[in-house]
Amino acid sequence: MQKNSFQELLDKYLTGRMTEAEWELFRSMLNQPEYREQLEALIDTELEEHTFEGEQDNSILASIQERLQDNIKKRPGTIFSFIKKMAVACTLMVAIAGTAYWWFSLKPVPEKEVTVSSNTAITPGGNKAILQLGNGAKIILDNAKEGTLAQQGQAKIVKQGNGQLSYNVTGNTPDATVYNTISTPRGGQYQLTLSDGTKVWLNASSSLRYPAAFSGKERHVQLTGEGYFEVAKNASMPFHVQAGNVDVEVLGTHFNINSYTDEPSIRTTLLEGSVKVTDGRQASMLKPGQEASVKPEGGIKVQSDVDTEEVIAWKNGIFQFKAADIETVLRQAARWYDIQFEYKGGISARFSGQISRSANAEQLLKILELTGKVQFEIHGKNIVVKQ
């Protein structure tokens, strides 16, 4: 196989024009040392010299760039956050090193390559939630009509389009504090604007308890599961999020909290501003790009230079992972698709890549299988995971 033929296969790979036979050949070439070295050299040399901005030259990297950009224009609903270094690395290094890389949209999925099969598609989640008012009444938000749902004192509860709920305060005189709770099921998500203007995105299988209108010297809410917060600034009224044994205090900032009980720790990731994380025994101040992890037994561990795009990918409609173990990947899939996984044997591989959360579960599982590191058997919503 001449070099130009290898480039032709790369071209077809990136534009989705590969036949099944060409895909077989391409995969076999990626397992050959000479082509593996060629790709490694490409990443070690050319990749460092290009930022995918400004003028393009005639190198293969520029060609890849051009086709990725063309693909984005043709697929406006698809988000490529790996356009820079990780994009090319994840696309090309399918069979390089010990990590299993996967991709989406550009690559064909040959049916005989995978074992995933199902008579009924496992569809992705959507905008689903239940609102419980202070008097105990419940409103199924995905069935409710847009417009005013209820009035609680001076707070008007309004359902907007696209899975959003807002609280509009009509006066300045504080009422007796009334707490509401919004809960998303497995396979659900919702966005909420609190009475102070704070915006909250709730991931699947999560809930938020909050007052219909804030009063007093502090703002307090309680979170289970995962939520992304853009807190309205108010220096005289700090905002507190209670998640398990963790309290996060802010004045106005952007951050994500993952407090699922099946995760090894409660993680607070800061994107903008500053927050104080407390576990009852100690406290830590976070800077943007830092993440505080608190295990059930307590103790705060702070990590710097966190990939915040990966952390909030769920909010942006993407599954995104970098060197994640299979359990981490499938825990997210289980919540979003409302499915269960059963493991048959250990899988040591780690996975990097991304796929839209609007894809069916079968599409995600097929792409994971294409790494050659894992296989799945679907039995309704129960899925067996094996090596």
Side-chain angles (χ1 to χ4, degrees):
M1 175 74 62
Q2 299 297 317
K3 182 177 179 181
N4 63 343
S5 297
F6 181 62
Q7 291 181 355
E8 288 175 9
L9 285 180
L10 282 175
D11 176 275
K12 290 187 176 183
Y13 175 76
L14 291 175
T15 55
R17 295 182 292 112
M18 265 188 180
T19 65
E20 189 169 315
E22 288 170 334
W23 171 241
E24 294 270 7
L25 177 59
F26 187 59
R27 289 194 67 189
S28 68
M29 291 175 67
L30 289 175
N31 284 315
Q32 297 176 33
E34 59 183 297
Y35 295 110
R36 192 159 61 241
E37 290 172 5
Q38 181 180 331
L39 293 177
E40 288 173 338
L42 172 67
I43 291 172
D44 289 341
T45 56
E46 290 190 277
L47 186 58
E48 293 300 327
E49 299 171 4
H50 294 264
T51 60
F52 294 103
E53 297 172 354
E55 289 188 8
Q56 300 178 18
D57 58 24
N58 293 322
S59 68
I60 185 175
L61 188 59
S63 175
I64 292 171
Q65 173 195 359
E66 205 173 315
R67 289 179 176 86
L68 282 175
Q69 290 173 333
D70 286 343
N71 190 275
I72 292 170
K73 293 175 183 176
K74 294 175 184 176
R75 302 173 184 267
T78 301
I79 301 174
F80 290 86
S81 64
F82 281 18
I83 291 287
K84 295 191 178 181
K85 296 183 181 180
M86 286 307 296
V88 180
C90 286
T91 306
L92 297 182
M93 296 182 66
V94 174
I96 296 175
T99 302
Y101 286 85
W102 45 283
W103 192 244
F104 72 100
S105 293
L106 303 180
K107 178 170 57 183
V109 182
E111 292 297 328
K112 72 176 186 178
E113 287 283 347
V114 298
T115 59
V116 171
S117 62
S118 177
N119 293 328
T120 304
I122 303 174
T123 56
N127 296 320
K128 304 172 187 177
I130 296 176
L131 174 65
Q132 182 171 331
L133 303 177
N135 61 8
K138 293 184 178 180
I139 302 173
I140 301 176
L141 294 176
D142 31 314
N143 294 337
K145 294 181 179 181
E146 293 181 17
T148 300
L149 300 180
Q151 179 87 34
Q152 292 186 312
Q154 297 179 14
K156 181 185 296 185
I157 307 173
V158 179
K159 179 187 176 182
Q160 301 171 329
N162 301 319
Q164 298 184 44
L165 189 72
S166 66
Y167 282 70
N168 302 325
V169 178
T170 57
N172 296 321
T173 304
D175 299 303
T177 302
V178 177
Y179 281 88
N180 292 176
T181 301
I182 183 171
S183 304
T184 57
R186 290 167 65 90
Q189 64 181 11
Y190 225 80
Q191 184 179 341
L192 172 69
T193 301
L194 301 177
S195 61
D196 66 337
T198 292
K199 295 181 180 180
V200 185
W201 286 256
L202 279 183
N203 204 349
S205 191
S206 302
S207 69
L208 187 75
R209 184 175 183 267
Y210 54 92
F214 291 102
S215 61
K217 297 181 178 180
E218 294 183 325
R219 296 170 285 173
H220 285 268
V221 301
Q222 292 176 296
L223 172 74
T224 65
E226 185 168 24
Y228 174 77
F229 294 79
E230 293 185 354
V231 176
K233 290 180 171 60
N234 187 341
S236 62
M237 200 175 187
F239 192 98
H240 290 259
V241 181
Q242 187 72 36
N245 63 334
V246 173
D247 178 82
V248 179
E249 179 183 350
V250 303
L251 298 178
T253 186
H254 299 180
F255 60 99
N256 191 85
I257 300 179
N258 184 323
S259 65
Y260 289 113
T261 55
D262 60 352
E263 295 288 344
S265 62
I266 296 175
R267 303 193 310 277
T268 302
T269 311
L270 183 63
L271 285 82
E272 178 183 306
S274 65
V275 301
K276 182 171 74 172
V277 178
T278 307
D279 71 346
R281 295 183 299 177
Q282 64 182 105
S284 293
M285 294 295 299
L286 298 186
K287 299 177 181 179
Q290 291 185 324
E291 179 177 274
S293 299
V294 180
K295 293 188 175 182
E297 62 271 20
I300 301 175
K301 180 180 179 181
V302 176
Q303 179 183 349
S304 298
D305 299 323
V306 173
D307 186 344
T308 56
E309 285 190 5
E310 180 183 355
V311 172
I312 67 167
W314 68 269
K315 167 187 169 288
N316 297 325
I318 303 172
F319 289 111
Q320 181 173 320
F321 304 97
K322 184 164 67 176
D325 58 45
I326 191 65
E327 289 84 1
T328 297
V329 175
L330 297 185
R331 278 198 298 269
Q332 287 199 28
R335 298 180 198 120
W336 185 237
Y337 295 106
D338 188 16
I339 52 183
Q340 302 289 337
F341 290 97
E342 177 186 354
Y343 293 86
K344 298 290 187 181
I347 299 169
S348 59
R350 290 185 172 270
F351 299 81
S352 294
Q354 63 179 11
I355 185 173
S356 170
R357 293 202 340 161
S358 64
N360 289 337
E362 291 86 351
Q363 292 174 275
L364 170 62
L365 300 182
K366 284 179 180 180
I367 291 172
L368 288 170
E369 280 204 344
L370 284 170
T371 66
K373 304 295 183 182
V374 63
Q375 290 185 325
F376 301 96
E377 290 181 1
I378 297 179
H379 306 281
K381 288 203 168 186
N382 296 308
I383 299 172
V384 176
V385 186
K386 57 186 182 179
Q387 203 165 21

